[in-house]
Amino acid sequence: MTWKHVGLAKVHRLFYPQVAVVVTVEATGRVGAMPASWCIPLSFNPPFAGLAIASEHEIYKMIVEAQALGINWLDYSHAQQIGELGEISGSEYSNKLSAVELTTISSKTTSQPIIREPSAALECRLHHRVRFGTHELMVSEVIDAHAADHLCDYWDFSKYTPLLYAGTVDQQGKCWVFMSGRGTTARMPFKHQT
Amino acid sequence: MTWKHVGLAKVHRLFYPQVAVVVTVEATGRVGAMPASWCIPLSFNPPFAGLAIASEHEIYKMIVEAQALGINWLDYSHAQQIGELGEISGSEYSNKLSAVELTTISSKTTSQPIIREPSAALECRLHHRVRFGTHELMVSEVIDAHAADHLCDYWDFSKYTPLLYAGTVDQQGKCWVFMSGRGTTARMPFKHQT
């Protein structure tokens, strides 16, 4: 096999494809939401989830304010909405989710918004923050978890089609690339940014 | 949609499917290797990678000893080997990779082993460790990165078939479940554990 050097600025792309979750939060009367793929479990018991996020994002400040957040899994049928959600800025909308026609309900444990339409959702309390380079790792304790019927002990992938993020590629303009895990790929040109 | 409660012990399964990487290390004359899916980028610059791992694993102690590690991406054609690698114990083999017929070369920057056959590999130095619940987050700085020809600016998914971990399911015995991202699934019964 021929090997080649990969520039360090592109290292994160080796991790693709990654499931895109949607992080949700309410603070100071506004609802924030952002797709994220730098998100993994960090512990079984208590269940902790780690989310690495740049602190410049509006939603970062909102999570620090609320000390809580929701983590939501939307399936591949929502690719268009999730791409658009990744483009619009929290500073321009009092409710980013309604801007892409998603609705929320209030989490029982944290009073934070979770999406009404998802395949699964976690109610989380912020536990710890630690900075590494350009991003901050936000560690949350999962307080409660819900899922659609197509999760039993594991996801039933004959019913649940995951939304896998595979990057934003410059090819006749920027576009979101999502994979279904079933051999199909959605390429959606940016609507809001040039 | 009908929602149901998800037991907190199963929360990590909502994150499936996740690319399975192989972590490699050499310490005290032995070569350790383990598949891992709790692994994400944590920063663009410097490039940091985060790996959450239970400290009971032999490889955890070896990484602490070596203060360095390799992170390797093998494609879907290696599913059988990666499953087997996840079953055998580091305490029983002086070289776990050769036990599953994988070979290594030495990283130039860290002298740590990286796999000879992968689609991509990172040479990393251990930067920071922090405990969350049952696992420890090992944060590494990426010193150098290599990839096969089918990575340009992004993976060319027409050539690179990722290895996506989707759990171990009790169904006529335990088995590894890997997905290709192209609609195919490999279910492999455990060979070494009952």
Side-chain angles (χ1 to χ4, degrees), chain A residues 6 8 10-19 37-40 164-167 179, chain B residues 17-23 36-44 47-51 70-73 120-122 124 140 142 145 151 154-155 157 160 162-164:
Chain A
V6 177
L8 292 183
K10 293 178 185 168
V11 161
H12 62 285
R13 296 178 184 170
L14 296 174
F15 291 80
Y16 297 156
Q18 295 170 297
V19 169
S37 59
W38 293 12
C39 187
I40 48 170
L164 293 160
Y165 175 64
M179 297 162 66
Chain B
Q18 295 169 297
V19 169
V21 295
V22 178
V23 179
S37 59
W38 292 13
C39 187
I40 48 168
L42 291 177
S43 163
F44 288 130
F48 286 122
L51 166 73
I71 298 176
N72 306 264
W73 282 261
L122 304 181
C124 306
S140 301
V142 180
L151 184 98
Y154 291 86
W155 285 119
F157 288 108
Y160 165 65
L163 181 68
L164 293 160

Side-chain angles (χ1 to χ4, degrees), chain A residues 1 15 28 31 57 64 66 69 77 84 88 90 99 109 111 123 129 133-134 152-153 164 173 190-191:
Chain A
M1 190 185 71
F15 291 80
T28 58
V31 172
H57 286 297
V64 173
L69 67 154
S77 69
E84 197 168 346
I88 62 178
T109 57
S111 303
E123 304 176 17
R129 291 185 288 140
T134 51
C152 283
D153 273 348
L164 293 160
F190 274 36
K191 285 172 88 172

Side-chain angles (χ1 to χ4, degrees), chain A residues 20-193:
Chain A
V21 296
V22 177
V23 179
T24 47
V25 65
E26 183 167 2
T28 58
R30 296 165 60 233
V31 172
M34 196 180 81
S37 59
W38 293 12
C39 187
I40 48 170
L42 291 177
S43 162
F44 287 131
N45 180 24
F48 285 121
L51 166 72
I53 187 172
S55 54
E56 295 77 32
H57 286 297
E58 186 74 13
I59 200 165
Y60 167 83
K61 297 159 203 152
M62 294 173 77
I63 295 170
V64 173
E65 172 76 24
Q67 291 288 302
L69 67 154
I71 298 176
N72 306 264
W73 282 260
L74 289 163
D75 69 17
Y76 185 71
S77 69
H78 294 277
Q80 183 77 49
Q81 286 161 296
I82 305 306
E84 197 168 346
L85 191 65
E87 290 180 60
I88 62 178
S89 165
S91 58
E92 292 169 30
Y93 294 90
S94 62
N95 186 330
K96 276 183 76 177
L97 288 167
S98 62
V100 299
E101 296 180 356
L102 290 168
T103 53
T104 59
I105 54 174
S106 264
S107 128
K108 284 183 188 158
T109 57
T110 63
S111 303
Q112 285 296 306
I114 51 177
I115 298 176
R116 190 186 293 271
E117 296 87 353
S119 296
L122 303 180
E123 304 176 17
C124 305
R125 284 206 191 103
L126 188 59
H127 171 78
H128 188 82
R129 291 185 288 140
V130 54
R131 176 103 190 182
F132 297 111
T134 51
H135 282 56
E136 197 164 296
L137 181 70
M138 303 187 108
V139 180
S140 302
E141 182 173 354
V142 180
I143 308 298
D144 207 353
H146 316 274
D149 270 346
H150 38 268
L151 184 99
C152 283
D153 273 348
Y154 291 87
W155 284 118
D156 178 349
F157 288 108
S158 70
K159 294 177 183 162
Y160 164 66
T161 308
L163 181 68
L164 293 160
Y165 175 64
T168 52
V169 182
D170 274 296
Q171 200 177 26
Q172 301 170 326
K174 277 207 165 187
C175 68
W176 297 93
V177 184
F178 290 111
M179 297 162 66
S180 68
R182 297 183 179 193
T184 48
T185 300
R187 291 171 195 275
M188 296 169 304
F190 274 36
K191 285 172 88 172
H192 296 265
Q193 291 173 15

